[in-house]
Amino acid sequence: MDLNLKDKRALITGSSKGLGYATALGLAKEGCKVAINGRDEAKIKGAAEKLSKETGTQIIGLVGDASLPDVPARLIQQTVEAFGGLDILITNTGGPKPGSIDSLDDDTWQKGIDLCFMAHVRLIRSALPHLRKSDAASILTVTSFTVRQPLPNLLISNSVRSATIGLTKSLALELGREGIRVNSILPGWTETERVTELLNARVKANNSTLEDEAKRQAAEIPLGRMGQPEEFANAAIFLVSPAASYITGTMLNVDGSVVKGVY
Ligand SMILES: NC(=O)c1ccc[n+]([C@@H]2O[C@H](COP(=O)([O-])OP(=O)(O)OC[C@H]3O[C@@H](n4cnc5c(N)ncnc54)[C@H](OP(=O)(O)O)[C@@H]3O)[C@@H](O)[C@H]2O)c1
């Protein structure tokens, strides 16, 4: 199947490593021009160089914290200046601080809201004038399976990402007539540094080893293992591509069926 992604122009935030990086790599292999982003300048430049060497396509590395109010508009502007427009926006960031209702203060909640919700709002708002000029406009928000099956001690993620799901569906309904598709992927346990961090917290709490915790987690997943970032990326690349032209307003679990409910 031809995904028809050649020469499409994409921005994916939170992409110097993990799910974002794997998706940027996949898009670049399909011939997209890709802008990637992260907060650490050395890491994002290194990732951009690596991607460009490996795929031979135009890659730019943009430094900035997507959770800050003024950064999303700048990231969009830099992408459009470099590529002459924008067809694909993938809104992704790092995960919020873990914690329970007793341990999380207002400031930590607000940071989680900026990271897991407002970054998506601001990126999409700034991107829309450019996406409206594209004949293959697509937005993908990256959320989490925890909106369907909350995880203990991840109260901010469990709560705030539901707002991003509401945003995604609302925009799919509003923007469909303009030919702009809006979807979300709800990743399950996928082997990235974020997961290692979460498992390390369990190692401390349970006085166990990382290997024990990884095995215990994998045993709860019907496919019997965690996912690989490329498995997330394959779904993301299809959803944002013109090959998925009749798919909008979809919240897709890519989770090995760790979510046990039907919906
Ligand atoms: N992996 C999983 O199993 C899983 C499951 C469900 C949901 N998720 C969610 O999916 C998202 C991506 O996860 P991941 O596993 O790929 O995480 P990761 O391995 O920690 O990678 C996160 C990426 O985002 C960048 N980043 C973090 N905060 C940022 C910010 N404020 N602005 C711009 N860039 C930022 C990081 O670079 P810098 O640190 O240099 O900024 C890095 O490139 C997270 O929100 C995570 O919670 C992941």
Side-chain angles (χ1 to χ4, degrees):
M1 176 172 42
D2 183 0
L3 296 179
N4 209 358
L5 280 166
K6 188 148 175 37
D7 294 329
K8 297 286 182 292
R9 301 150 300 182
L11 166 64
I12 170 159
T13 54
S15 47
S16 61
K17 62 182 181 184
L19 306 181
Y21 181 85
T23 305
L25 175 62
L27 286 172
K29 281 183 176 167
E30 291 294 325
C32 276
K33 297 172 184 175
V34 188
I36 59 170
N37 151 259
R39 292 162 303 173
D40 184 302
E41 181 161 12
K43 279 191 195 152
I44 199 69
K45 297 289 174 212
E49 247 171 58
K50 198 168 156 214
L51 282 175
S52 141
K53 257 190 206 152
E54 194 169 337
T55 63
T57 60
Q58 194 182 348
I59 308 284
I60 54 167
L62 305 176
V63 189
D65 182 337
S67 72
L68 299 179
D70 297 338
V71 172
R74 172 175 57 79
L75 298 176
I76 300 291
Q77 190 195 338
Q78 287 175 310
T79 306
V80 170
E81 273 170 19
F83 299 157
L86 185 71
D87 305 293
I88 294 165
L89 172 68
I90 303 181
T91 59
N92 178 53
T93 61
K97 252 196 170 175
S100 64
I101 190 72
D102 296 314
S103 69
L104 296 165
D105 61 18
D106 276 9
D107 184 50
T108 311
W109 272 98
Q110 192 54 56
K111 284 192 171 122
I113 292 167
D114 284 336
L115 184 69
C116 294
F117 180 57
M118 287 311 296
H120 300 263
V121 172
R122 292 172 181 138
L123 281 162
I124 294 170
R125 191 171 52 207
S126 298
L128 271 178
H130 307 287
L131 292 174
R132 286 189 166 113
K133 293 181 195 153
S134 164
D135 58 4
S138 176
I139 298 170
L140 180 71
T141 61
V142 179
T143 53
S144 174
F145 79 96
T146 60
V147 300
R148 291 201 163 125
Q149 187 167 282
L151 266 183
N153 208 43
L154 271 187
L155 209 57
I156 297 181
S157 178
N158 298 343
S159 311
V160 175
R161 290 189 200 273
S162 292
T164 306
I165 293 293
L167 174 76
T168 305
K169 192 70 183 181
S170 304
L171 292 179
L173 304 183
E174 278 183 26
L175 299 173
R177 290 292 162 92
E178 297 188 61
I180 301 174
R181 297 182 303 105
V182 194
N183 294 293
S184 188
I185 293 188
L186 288 57
W189 289 91
T190 315
E191 285 182 14
T192 66
E193 284 180 32
R194 163 83 177 161
V195 158
T196 308
E197 267 170 38
L198 293 176
L199 292 181
N200 270 331
R202 292 185 187 176
V203 167
K204 263 193 198 161
N206 301 334
N207 197 18
S208 56
T209 65
L210 191 58
E211 205 187 357
D212 287 342
E213 294 300 338
K215 262 191 197 158
R216 203 170 315 180
Q217 188 53 62
E220 286 178 21
I221 302 167
L223 284 184
R225 62 175 176 85
M226 292 197 201
Q228 292 302 313
E230 300 71 36
E231 294 177 294
F232 167 91
N234 288 341
I237 292 158
F238 171 68
L239 274 185
V240 297
S241 78
S245 49
Y246 203 55
I247 303 179
T248 193
T250 291
M251 312 302 145
L252 180 68
N253 292 11
V254 178
D255 69 349
S257 206
V258 74
V259 172
K260 306 297 191 299
V262 176
Y263 300 107

